[in-house]
Amino acid sequence: MKLIDSVTRMSTLAGILRKEGKSIGLVPTMGYLHEGHASLIGAARKQHDSVILSVFVNPMQFGPKEDFDRYPRDLKRDARIAAEAGADIMFHPSADEMYPQRYATYVNVERLADGLCGSSRPGHFRGVATVVAKLFGITRPHAAYFGRKDAQQVAVIRKMAGDLNMGVKIKVMPTVREKDGLAMSSRNAYMTERERADAAVIYRALRKAESLVMAGQRSSRRIIAAMAQMIAGVPSVKVEYISIVDPEEMSELETVSSDAIVSVAARVGRTRLIDNIEVKG
Amino acid sequence: MKLIDSVTRMSTLAGILRKEGKSIGLVPTMGYLHEGHASLIGAARKQHDSVILSVFVNPMQFGPKEDFDRYPRDLKRDARIAAEAGADIMFHPSADEMYPQRYATYVNVERLADGLCGSSRPGHFRGVATVVAKLFGITRPHAAYFGRKDAQQVAVIRKMAGDLNMGVKIKVMPTVREKDGLAMSSRNAYMTERERADAAVIYRALRKAESLVMAGQRSSRRIIAAMAQMIAGVPSVKVEYISIVDPEEMSELETVSSDAIVSVAARVGRTRLIDNIEVKG
C-alpha cells in the first residue's frame, strides 16, 4: 500500500489512474480506523481497480469547543488496518496541505445541514461538504463509501454530489456494531468501561423504535417519548436529540409514513455519540 | 457543432471524451455572444481536442431587482457564432435542468467576493461560483476560458478551482474592445446610441489611470480622483465604484506597488457596465 501525504502527488496519481482507465473507489475517513471503516474499504475493494483511503482529521468540521485536539490519531495502526482491508493508497495530508494560506472556499448544503447535528454543531456540515468536495477533486473517485451511522452526513454529501454534478456515486454501507449493538466509532475510545456499557442503551432505544413501528405505531412523538423514557433509565446517557426524519431531506416527520430514519445523538460523559436506524412505516 | 440541452447527455458525452483521452476546453457564457466570446472559443480551439461552449443565463447570479428577465438571449445567433469560432458543442441547459426541485448546494468564495461588484450585487459571486462548479462537474474540462473584463469573477473562479482542487486550469484572455475602447459586453445591447457613445469615457478613464501610473503616480486615491473627475465630465455616466486592487485577492491597494487592477463599475442609463485595466507599479 502506498502512503501519500502530498495533495499534488495524490492528484497527479489519480489523474494517471484515470487516464489508464482504472476505476477509483474512495473511502474518506478521519482515521483511527475500526471495523466499520474496514468494511467500507472491503466494499470498495470489490468494485474498483484502485481503492484510496483518506485519513484527515478535518479542522473545518470541528467547533471551537469540540474534540479536534483530542480526536484519536494513530497513522501506523491505520496503515496496517487499511492494508489488511485492501486499500491501495492511504492519503493522509496535513491541514496546511488541505487549507493553505488564504484558503477561501466553502461548500454549503442548505436545509439538510440545518437540523439534527447541524443545530448543535453549527458549521459542521459546511466543513464536511467542503473537505469532501476537495477530496473528490484530489482523488477523482468514481464512487465514495460512507457508513450509514452518519446518516445526515450521507444525506448532505449525496445532495452536494448531485447538485454540483460531481459524477461521484455515493455508496452507503451498513453500520458495523459491537456485540451489544453500540455503533462502532473512533470516539468510542474516549469512554470508560462503565460509560461504554451504558452507551448500549442508545441502540436498545433504536430497536425499541423499530419494534414500535413494526407493531403499527406511526406517531413520531410517541416513538420518541418511548425512546427518551428508555434512555432516561440510564442516567449517565444524556440525550441531545431524538428525531425521526425523511432520509433524503432530513426533514422532521410527524408521522412515520414511508421510509424514515430514527436518529439519536447523546452524550455519555464527555463523549458525544450518534446512531440511527431505518424504519418503514 | 452539436447542440445539447440535457445535463445528463452533456456529462455522459464529457465522460466519453475523457475516456478517449480527449482534452476538453470549456467556455462558460451567458450567451448573446460577441467578439470577446468568439476570441475565448478561438483560444480554446487552439489548445483542446474538444471545445464546449456553455450558454446559460444563470438566475442564481442575478439579484431580485437586476436584469435577469431582460438579459438578451438569441440561441440561434449564438449557435452560428459559436460554430464559426470553432466550438464543437454548445451546451444550453434550462434553469430547471441546472437547479431541479430541492436544489440545496452553494459555493462561497469568501473575502474576494465581498468588495467591488460583490458589495453592490450581494450573492452574485456565490451564484457565479456555484454555476461554474456545476459546469465543471458536467463538462469535465481540462481548462476553462474567461475574459479579463470580469476581473473579480476570474479571481473568484481561480480561487475556487484551486481551493476545491478541481484540476481545471483557468485561462484568462484579453478584453476585446470596440473601436472607441468600450469593452465588449452582451449588456452593451441595452444602450441607446447616445449612451453607447458616452460609455467610452470608462475606458478613457482607465487609460488615464495607466498613464498616471506610467508617469510615476502611486497613490490610489489620486489616481481614482483623476478618473472620477474625467467620468464626471460625462453626466450620463454614474460611477458605482472605482477601485485599485490586488489581482489575486481583490483587496484594495492604497499604493500601486506591483501588479494592480484598476477597476470601474458605472451605470449609463439603466445599463450597468464594468471594465478594468492592469497596471504595474
Side-chain angles (χ1 to χ4, degrees), chain B residues 1 4 10 25-33 37 41 51-57 75 78 82 87 89-93 98 131-132 134-136 138-139 144-146:
Chain B
M1 191 184 68
I4 299 180
M10 183 67 250
L26 172 69
V27 181
T29 78
M30 298 210 299
Y32 212 71
L33 303 182
H37 299 117
I41 297 169
V51 175
I52 303 173
L53 170 84
S54 67
V55 172
F56 180 58
V57 185
L75 274 181
D78 288 344
I89 297 164
M90 181 167 123
F91 173 53
H92 60 104
M98 292 292 274
V131 79
V132 171
K134 283 176 65 66
L135 290 169
F136 286 3
I138 297 164
T139 66
Y145 292 74
F146 296 90

Side-chain angles (χ1 to χ4, degrees), chain B:
Chain B
M1 191 184 68
K2 210 172 265 179
L3 286 159
I4 299 180
D5 62 3
S6 144
V7 165
T8 309
R9 280 225 302 143
M10 183 67 250
S11 64
T12 304
L13 179 54
I16 291 168
L17 292 169
R18 278 278 188 167
K19 265 203 178 149
E20 289 172 345
K22 298 287 201 312
S23 152
I24 301 173
L26 172 69
V27 181
T29 78
M30 298 210 299
Y32 212 71
L33 303 182
H34 51 64
E35 285 172 49
H37 299 117
S39 83
L40 300 177
I41 297 169
R45 179 73 284 162
K46 281 185 198 146
Q47 301 291 329
H48 302 280
D49 301 315
S50 291
V51 175
I52 303 173
L53 170 84
S54 67
V55 172
F56 180 58
V57 185
N58 175 32
M60 200 193 280
Q61 72 192 63
F62 287 80
K65 288 178 186 172
E66 291 182 1
D67 56 344
F68 175 71
D69 287 328
R70 67 182 185 117
Y71 196 87
R73 292 158 170 93
D74 189 340
L75 274 181
K76 271 193 191 164
R77 184 172 164 275
D78 288 344
R80 198 184 65 234
I81 295 172
E84 274 169 18
D88 299 301
I89 297 164
M90 181 167 123
F91 173 53
H92 60 104
S94 69
D96 289 346
E97 275 282 300
M98 292 292 274
Y99 304 116
Q101 284 262 311
R102 288 184 253 168
Y103 185 90
T105 307
Y106 299 86
V107 181
N108 277 296
V109 179
E110 298 193 345
R111 295 195 315 276
L112 286 71
D114 295 342
L116 309 182
C117 293
S119 42
S120 49
R121 305 186 70 187
H124 171 65
F125 288 113
R126 186 179 84 145
V128 168
T130 302
V131 79
V132 171
K134 283 176 65 66
L135 290 169
F136 286 3
I138 297 164
T139 66
R140 309 266 308 278
H142 293 81
Y145 292 74
F146 296 90
R148 197 175 291 286
K149 175 175 79 74
D150 305 310
Q152 191 175 11
Q153 168 173 283
V154 164
V156 165
I157 290 168
R158 178 171 275 153
K159 179 66 89 176
M160 171 186 75
D163 279 355
L164 295 185
N165 311 94
M166 289 174 159
V168 180
K169 280 200 186 104
I170 307 304
K171 306 271 195 172
V172 188
M173 297 293 139
T175 302
V176 177
R177 300 183 178 283
E178 305 285 356
K179 273 192 189 136
D180 62 0
L182 179 71
M184 295 227 179
S185 164
S186 307
R187 288 190 170 97
N188 291 350
Y190 294 149
M191 288 187 281
T192 65
E193 209 171 320
R194 179 60 197 274
E195 287 169 345
R196 171 60 201 75
D198 288 353
V201 74
I202 295 170
Y203 185 59
R204 287 202 305 276
L206 289 168
R207 293 296 298 269
K208 172 79 182 171
E210 187 181 48
S211 66
L212 285 169
V213 173
M214 281 168 72
Q217 183 57 267
R218 291 293 174 270
S219 157
S220 294
R221 195 176 52 75
R222 281 168 191 262
I223 296 165
I224 291 168
M227 292 172 71
Q229 196 184 9
M230 178 181 272
I231 297 175
V234 183
S236 67
V237 181
K238 310 286 182 205
V239 168
E240 186 184 283
Y241 66 75
I242 305 173
S243 289
I244 301 182
V245 297
D246 160 87
E248 268 180 44
E249 286 285 314
M250 291 285 126
S251 51
E252 307 266 348
L253 299 171
E254 279 183 35
T255 306
V256 182
S257 48
S258 57
D259 286 359
I261 291 177
V262 184
S263 204
V264 177
R267 282 182 190 279
V268 187
R270 291 170 68 201
T271 308
R272 185 177 180 277
L273 300 173
I274 59 172
D275 200 356
N276 68 83
I277 200 166
E278 285 185 88
V279 294
K280 273 185 188 293

